[in-house]
Amino acid sequence: MKYVHYGDIHTNIADEIDKNNNLPFINEIYKEYDELKLDDVIVADASEDYKGIADAAVIISNLPYTIIAGLHTIALRPTSLIKGYFLYHIFKTENFKRFGYKIGTGLKVFGISYNNLAKYKVYYPQEIEEQEKIIGILSNLTNSINLHERKCEELALIKKALLQELFPKKDEIKPEVRYKNFSDAWEQRRLGEGTIKIGDGLHGTPKYSTNGDVQFINGNNLINGKVVVTSETKKVTSSEQSKDDKELNQNTILMSINGTIGSLAWYRNENLMLGKSVAYIEVSKFDKKFVYTYLQTDKVKYYFMNSLTGTTIKNLGLKAIRETPLLIPNIEEQQKIGSFFQHLDSLIALHQRKLEKLKQLKKFLLQNMFI
């Protein structure tokens, strides 16, 4: 017997449930619960935030075992007028989510009762065939999203493994895997030895300007190798920029050093002013792609975590960054390793962009295929 808990729905362990689901088996016998069947919908009636109110799952295939709806769930068995899989998609729409926000109750844990859930007015095509066509479109899109998610996860695991193999492990002076014709031991150096300068941004608050054309960024703007500007990112005028802000260049790596530690981004000629939670590293004597990759290794991350200062909010100091211990091969091997990981990062980014576009398409269809 398997058991659908509301937490399983919120974490997507229970979503579109088929025989390959990861729900746990249980040993207890719950005679008071009805067995769920194909096309039944299970709704979470409790959530720790409003976004999760009435999250839903649906049984999409016949299962070779008994499955029941458990703690803090509402089980729905649609009539012959509407497919449960269609109803499941209705529960994913923004219209329904807004309904949930309005009717949800509670302070720390938000809930929705069956009686309140039943108040939602559902619109659906009278022809089952039309419902099935809509289900088919969205199901195919979901399968494509799942495929790209798995691909992104696989590439991330491959990258993690290669970071361990192409860089020396603790107490080693050579990596496990080498490019052909490279066999020399790597040399112990400090990050500061291969850079022109390492610094950070403004320790204070600049004068913001809605008419400014300079983005004032902090560590949370560094995402997946890029500077990501959002609607919440403040702007300043060029007069607020420091000399160092204006001298950022193609050899500059940006890194978060306050709160979130070690997020990286390349500087790509954006018009920026750095806040105190961003460090800039201008690479000179080492290969910049190699350094960018090295900063992502477990060995360097461990060094950073053991170099933090502060109590409530942790901070990585500039001295610690300059003294980051590195093992460095000759420049040719650096270039090969750096270029390889840049290509791998580009491949990961490509799949992430495809994944994001598919998610945006699904969101658009949910908004426009339902009333």
Side-chain angles (χ1 to χ4, degrees):
M1 177 184 289
K2 288 196 172 187
Y3 174 93
V4 181
H5 183 273
Y6 78 111
D8 298 323
I9 297 175
H10 291 313
T11 56
N12 288 326
I13 294 174
D15 187 18
E16 299 179 34
I17 302 170
D18 60 13
K19 64 181 180 180
N20 297 317
N21 70 80
N22 293 319
L23 289 167
F25 283 96
I26 59 173
N27 296 321
E28 294 88 348
I29 303 298
Y30 293 88
K31 294 181 179 180
E32 68 273 23
Y33 291 94
D34 290 331
E35 179 182 349
L36 296 172
K37 297 180 179 180
L38 174 65
D39 216 35
D40 284 352
V41 178
I42 312 99
V43 177
D45 70 4
S47 172
E48 293 182 0
D49 60 60
Y50 270 106
K51 291 182 179 180
I53 290 177
D55 275 351
V58 60
I59 310 293
I60 65 171
S61 67
N62 290 310
L63 303 175
Y65 42 74
T66 299
I67 186 168
I68 61 173
L71 182 67
H72 287 303
T73 63
I74 300 169
L76 303 174
R77 181 162 296 161
T79 68
S80 59
L81 298 176
I82 183 170
K83 302 287 291 184
Y85 212 166
F86 189 85
L87 183 61
Y88 158 84
H89 286 300
I90 288 176
F91 289 154
K92 299 293 182 181
T93 64
E94 288 299 317
N95 281 344
F96 178 78
K97 291 298 181 184
R98 283 193 291 269
F99 167 81
Y101 302 158
K102 288 174 64 177
I103 210 161
T105 59
L107 296 175
K108 293 184 178 180
V109 177
F110 307 103
I112 187 168
S113 67
Y114 172 78
N115 288 336
N116 280 336
L117 180 63
K119 293 177 183 177
Y120 186 70
K121 188 176 290 187
V122 174
Y123 295 90
Y124 55 89
Q126 293 185 4
E127 296 292 334
I128 291 294
E129 183 180 359
E130 185 177 357
Q131 293 182 35
E132 289 176 339
K133 285 185 177 181
I134 294 172
I135 291 167
I137 291 170
L138 292 171
S139 295
N140 289 335
L141 192 52
T142 298
N143 290 337
S144 294
I145 290 171
N146 292 339
L147 178 65
H148 280 282
E149 284 180 337
R150 287 195 296 271
K151 187 66 176 179
C152 288
E153 290 168 0
E154 289 169 2
L155 287 171
L157 289 173
I158 289 171
K159 180 179 177 179
K160 184 177 181 179
L162 290 172
L163 283 171
Q164 294 174 347
E165 293 179 354
L166 288 170
F167 288 86
K169 288 184 168 60
K170 184 179 179 181
D171 301 326
E172 299 290 334
I173 57 174
K174 294 181 181 180
E176 290 182 359
V177 177
R178 304 291 295 273
Y179 281 95
K180 188 177 180 180
N181 299 325
F182 294 104
S183 58
D184 293 342
W186 291 20
E187 182 183 357
Q188 182 72 58
R189 304 287 292 275
R190 301 284 178 182
L191 178 58
E193 297 175 45
T195 60
I196 293 176
K197 57 182 176 179
I198 295 174
D200 59 5
L202 177 70
H203 286 237
T205 303
K207 184 179 179 181
Y208 301 127
S209 172
T210 55
N211 297 320
D213 60 353
V214 180
Q215 305 291 345
F216 181 67
I217 68 161
N218 281 294
N220 55 10
N221 293 106
L222 310 183
I223 301 173
N224 294 329
K226 294 182 178 181
V227 175
V228 177
V229 174
T230 70
S231 59
E232 296 179 0
T233 304
K234 303 291 187 181
K235 292 182 179 181
V236 298
T237 61
S238 58
S239 62
E240 291 290 310
Q241 287 178 297
S242 69
K243 178 174 177 288
D244 292 321
D245 288 326
K246 295 178 179 180
E247 290 179 352
L248 300 175
N249 58 63
Q250 63 182 3
N251 294 317
T252 302
I253 297 170
L254 302 175
M255 183 170 72
S256 61
I257 59 170
N258 185 269
T260 300
I261 307 297
S263 296
L264 300 172
W266 289 108
Y267 174 71
R268 292 180 170 87
N269 296 318
E270 301 98 335
N271 202 2
L272 303 177
M273 180 179 181
L274 307 184
K276 68 176 181 179
S277 61
V278 180
Y280 57 87
I281 303 167
E282 187 176 341
V283 184
S284 56
K285 295 180 182 178
F286 303 153
D287 179 76
K288 63 180 182 181
K289 298 173 188 174
F290 177 82
V291 171
Y292 183 87
T293 304
Y294 211 145
L295 293 175
Q296 300 173 61
T297 61
D298 288 341
K299 191 174 180 179
V300 170
K301 288 180 180 178
Y302 181 79
Y303 167 79
F304 284 166
M305 290 301 109
N306 283 280
S307 303
L308 299 179
T309 59
T311 53
T312 304
I313 300 177
K314 300 296 184 181
N315 182 75
L316 181 63
L318 297 178
K319 181 180 178 183
I321 298 172
R322 294 187 186 101
E323 295 181 354
T324 302
L326 306 175
L327 285 165
I328 302 293
N330 63 46
I331 192 64
E332 290 80 15
E333 191 170 4
Q334 289 180 47
Q335 290 168 345
K336 281 186 174 292
I337 294 171
S339 295
F340 170 78
F341 278 99
Q342 184 184 50
H343 175 73
L344 183 56
D345 285 342
S346 296
L347 185 60
I348 292 171
L350 174 64
H351 282 281
Q352 288 173 335
R353 286 194 299 271
K354 288 181 178 179
L355 175 60
E356 188 56 35
K357 286 181 179 179
L358 288 170
K359 288 181 175 179
Q360 289 174 356
L361 176 58
K362 184 175 180 180
K363 182 177 180 180
F364 173 82
L365 292 177
L366 284 171
Q367 289 174 342
N368 291 276
M369 296 182 79
F370 297 86
I371 298 175

